[in-house]
Amino acid sequence: MHLYSEQRGDYLLIRAAGDRIDAAGAIQFKDAMRELTQTADARVLLDMSKVAFLDSSGLGAVIAAMKAIGPGRKLELSGLTPTVEKVFRLTRMDSVFTIHASLPESQSEGLRNAV
Amino acid sequence: MQFEPASTIKPDLDETAMQHQACLTIQGDILAVRDGLGLLMSMKPLRALSDEIRGTVAIVLAEALNNVVEHAYRDGPGQIRICVDHLAPVLRVSVYDQGLPMPNEQLPQGLLKPLVEGEELPEGGFGWFLIRTLTMDLAYERHGNLNHLCFEVQA
């Protein structure tokens, strides 16, 4: 799972480039998220529009990533594909995360970091 | 029941059964689960179904197979056999392994932990909840050294 990050106005945008966050990739995802978010601003937005599949290990990794960025900061999600949305909805995690249908409009400042 | 030897992944190639049934034997590790799921989704009868149904089957199978890897085969490697039958209006799915039995030979209840404001969010415990929520006629049997999990999904 490759993650790409860029600064967009007042938030850090992280794009998940792989098509799945599953048991085989959950730890790698968690580690890469931690690395990208350790110096980030208050808002972190994870774009999941390329992620077609997420299992419970992947869900756990997204939750762990939110906890790791700390109580004073927020992990928001964007572009959930239907199967991923189903996992969030059934487990009621859609009530815990702020979920955007698509990326907010903002001026891109280009790639800042990549893991 | 004995599994046929398989190096990593081995789809069955029974021409008469292929229209309605897909069977696959994989190694019990998380990478083989990922590859096996991908292959299964590309086989008849699954590839003919809607993306929504395929997504549901993929979630349930991923949870069931990862559970076998993590628990049944925690003391040593083994193989997992998966069979999917399209018996309209349902898909009947069976998962076999030769690992440790379920505790007390019972399936976990899979209750979702309540979300309490101010308390630490759970990072796990979703697997059996998802399986139970998305399936019908979920059953588990232990036959000798064989675990057999079966369930149906509306197709």
Side-chain angles (χ1 to χ4, degrees):
Chain A
M1 165 62 68
H2 288 283
L3 301 175
Y4 300 98
S5 74
E6 63 185 270
Q7 195 65 41
R8 281 210 175 185
D10 66 339
Y11 65 93
L12 180 75
L13 172 66
I14 299 180
R15 297 179 189 273
D19 71 340
R20 50 182 52 234
I21 307 174
D22 60 9
I27 291 173
Q28 195 200 354
F29 170 83
K30 223 183 320 187
D31 290 346
M33 281 294 288
R34 184 169 300 137
E35 197 168 316
L36 288 175
T37 56
Q38 45 188 338
T39 58
D41 309 276
R43 281 180 79 196
V44 178
L45 182 61
L46 177 65
D47 174 15
M48 298 183 72
S49 58
K50 297 279 194 294
V51 180
F53 182 75
L54 170 115
D55 63 14
S56 65
S57 303
L59 178 66
V62 176
I63 295 166
M66 176 165 75
K67 286 155 84 169
I69 70 171
R73 299 156 70 205
K74 239 181 144 193
L75 177 63
E76 300 174 31
L77 308 175
S78 158
L80 270 54
T81 59
T83 301
V84 173
E85 190 275 333
K86 184 180 271 184
V87 172
F88 273 86
R89 178 168 39 82
L90 291 174
T91 57
R92 297 181 212 134
M93 283 297 147
D94 58 347
S95 67
V96 170
F97 288 87
T98 301
I99 299 176
H100 304 274
S102 58
L103 291 179
E105 281 304 314
S106 173
Q107 189 66 40
S108 168
E109 292 176 19
L111 280 180
R112 193 182 75 169
N113 234 328
V115 168
Chain B
M1 175 179 170
Q2 282 298 312
F3 293 157
E4 291 168 40
S7 53
T8 49
I9 291 177
K10 183 174 180 293
D12 284 4
L13 293 172
D14 178 344
E15 292 289 340
T16 52
M18 269 175 67
Q19 298 302 310
H20 306 290
Q21 189 183 56
C23 284
L24 197 64
T25 300
I26 63 170
Q27 289 296 327
D29 67 69
I30 49 176
L31 278 172
V33 165
R34 176 193 279 180
D35 293 345
L37 272 180
L39 182 55
L40 202 61
M41 291 300 145
S42 71
M43 291 165 73
K44 278 188 179 174
L46 280 159
R47 70 162 182 250
L49 299 173
S50 71
D51 286 348
E52 189 191 347
I53 306 282
R54 284 151 45 88
T56 299
V57 175
I59 294 167
V60 176
L61 265 176
E63 301 305 334
L65 300 177
N66 287 328
N67 182 69
V68 171
V69 174
E70 277 176 46
H71 300 289
Y73 285 139
R74 69 166 180 257
D75 291 344
Q79 294 183 340
I80 310 173
R81 184 170 174 78
I82 310 130
C83 286
V84 180
D85 281 278
H86 191 192
L87 305 164
V90 298
L91 279 178
R92 184 171 294 161
V93 182
S94 280
V95 175
Y96 304 91
D97 69 77
Q98 292 169 305
L100 301 171
M102 287 282 175
N104 305 317
E105 301 195 6
Q106 300 272 317
L107 291 177
Q109 277 194 293
L111 298 175
L112 214 52
K113 291 178 196 127
L115 296 173
V116 181
E117 187 80 38
E119 273 188 26
E120 185 96 329
L121 283 172
E123 291 174 35
F126 307 116
W128 284 103
F129 171 79
L130 288 170
I131 294 173
R132 287 193 180 274
T133 304
L134 294 170
T135 62
M136 303 170 294
D137 292 335
L138 180 70
Y140 165 75
E141 285 181 322
R142 178 80 176 175
H143 303 287
N145 68 343
L146 189 76
N147 292 314
H148 178 201
L149 178 75
C150 68
F151 55 84
E152 290 181 355
V153 173
Q154 201 75 43

